[in-house]
Amino acid sequence: MSHPRLLCALGALTLTLGVAQAAPGAKPTGVVKILALNDFHGQLESPGTFRADAASPVVPAGGADYAAGYIAAARAANPNTVVVSAGDLIGASPMVSALFHDEPTIEAMNRAGLDFNAVGNHEFDDGKDELQRLQRGGCHPTDTANSCRGAEVGTPVPFEGAKFRFLAANVVQKKNGKTLFAPYGLKAFDIGGKKLKMAFIGMTLKDTPQIVTPSGVKGLVFRDEAETVNALVPQLRAQGVESIVVLIHQGGTQTSPSPQDINACAGGLAGSPIKDIVARLDGAVDLVVTGHSHAAYNCELPLASGRLVRVTSANAQGRVLTDIDLAVDTATGDVTGVTALNKVVDRSNAAITPNAQIAAIVAGYKTLVTPIANRVVGRITRDVPNTKDAACNMPAGELVADAQLAATEAPEFGGAQLALMNPGGVRSPGFQYAGSPAGEGDGAVTYGEAFTVQPFGNSLVTMTLSTQQLRDTLEQQFPNCFGQTSFARVLLPSAGLRYHWDDAQACGAKVREASLTVAGVTHPLVVAGAVVDGQRTWRVTVNSFLADGGDAFSVLKGGTERLGGAQDLDALERYLAAFLPPAPAYDPLAPGLGKPRITRGDAGTVCP
């Protein structure tokens, strides 16, 4: 395998010409440039600093204005440039985008020049109808206060919708058998006086129904990614398309320790879902741009034919762009070579001119959101991060679970005795002690910070579960157990619930011990792997995502006597308010919180 930096440097020699100078007797070759990103998550402002590898400096990275500057520089050098996203462009976004239903991100990406976005799982956070509105434009059907604010930020009113195309080849509507969005997009390039077509197939994570609110994807079928691509290849060939790029919201990770080289492929993505998918793809595929794992890598992996194909990923939140050159035979349209280089979106790069229009739009939304975001809602004594220990305890998630229990334990609000929180619903970085540039001071938690941790807008649901159902729910945390089909999702309990698990045991016996303390009385739930009093019932609070069977927790769908409650963010805000002066600040290590709540019996040292 050639070194990607060297290959990209060589490819750059042809970039300004658009057509490579062929050796005598050789076929003329044109260069098409692709700039790729993934998992942007509405990160319009810089998420902080980043480094390309251990030998590179740490630099300020990201921001939609600078990403657009890199795109503009590439297009100025080669007009045959296309910009693509491998999903999660929106969803789980910072408040400056999420409060306005991610309209700011769509508007910024319109002006940055994005061409195609393969729909990811987070695009479905607010359901398929809302996603279709973001494509076509128009105001939010119910939240008129936070939609169509273009007159105040310099964008059209009503909301203009995405000028780029959402792609989702494997997302099919049951009612008519048609795809929800176009399965692919075609881009024509003028190279050497010839029009050459290139196809971009967009692919959504097949497991999306398991990790978004089920009601948001009701009526949709998510088909196998590789089978969908392979079925499209003959259709594209029939249209004279010989160059095929797959944009897929699925990925893997490198095995090297941090900081990783963003242009390496340590471990070859072994054991990852994307490696299996690529291994089943038709040999006609020329490039695979991936996402979902929030990792950076630059790999070559074998297709079904055995031929190696370039497989890339660009970290997340706009920190990195993948700069890809495709050498194309101008006579046949075949891709004859692919080079790629992951580049940090370096905000200190003097050669890049940030997009002033995008910067102004972001500043406008920031002005609108700042008074809300900077309001102090609580105080903490130290960091409360969303990182996990080996047993999967997560301080931020435990705080959220406690907030949900507090909001629903009164009889009129549900009479909850415990709460469970899904770890994927607690976003990075959790709650940080250090004050922000807004000047709220150390230890102060602002509404914007709370929103960042809980951006999904789920409501709380209190239900009745038997001890047996509660134990089965805990068993569903582990892959291939009780219908769980993907990675481990160890739930975060509220104070009073403790459990001990051992992954070396068989499914149905992984939870070895569990107990619940209510009003000072401790009740055994599981002892030595056996359920105690399986028919006894408990009142349990979860968010609406879990209550509907999200993250494959199907047992929770059987909960009875359901009572809907407050929004999760409102419950969190009310809980944090109890730690404002003159009350003591929240201390995640306080003995009364009953930690650790989760313990582990096998030899594992990392939360799966």
Side-chain angles (χ1 to χ4, degrees), residues 497-562:
L497 178 63
R498 289 184 169 178
Y499 65 92
H500 177 84
W501 59 276
D502 185 341
D503 202 27
Q505 303 296 322
C507 287
K510 291 183 182 292
V511 177
R512 307 303 299 162
E513 308 286 336
S515 65
L516 176 64
T517 301
V518 179
V521 179
T522 299
H523 307 273
L525 305 176
V526 179
V527 175
V531 176
V532 177
D533 195 1
Q535 297 309 305
R536 182 170 182 173
T537 58
W538 310 94
R539 294 291 284 167
V540 182
T541 294
V542 295
N543 60 37
S544 53
F545 166 71
L546 285 174
D548 289 342
D551 275 353
F553 283 102
S554 58
V555 174
L556 293 175
K557 295 172 70 176
T560 60
E561 300 174 291
R562 293 182 173 221

Side-chain angles (χ1 to χ4, degrees), residues 60-148:
D65 55 344
Y66 267 84
Y70 275 85
I71 291 168
R75 282 208 161 110
N78 183 357
N80 291 319
T81 294
V82 59
V83 185
V84 301
S85 163
D88 280 6
L89 186 72
I90 57 173
S93 307
M95 194 172 179
V96 70
S97 182
L99 183 66
F100 307 103
H101 303 284
D102 279 320
E103 292 172 16
T105 295
I106 301 298
E107 291 168 338
M109 287 298 162
N110 284 344
R111 287 152 184 80
L114 183 64
D115 292 290
F116 302 113
N117 174 52
V119 173
N121 55 284
H122 277 289
E123 269 87 354
F124 288 99
D125 283 347
D126 291 324
K128 62 180 184 297
D129 294 340
E130 170 65 357
L131 183 56
Q132 289 176 313
R133 179 187 75 88
L134 292 176
Q135 174 75 89
R136 69 174 180 263
C139 299
H140 192 277
T142 58
D143 186 9
T144 55
N146 294 314
S147 177
C148 289

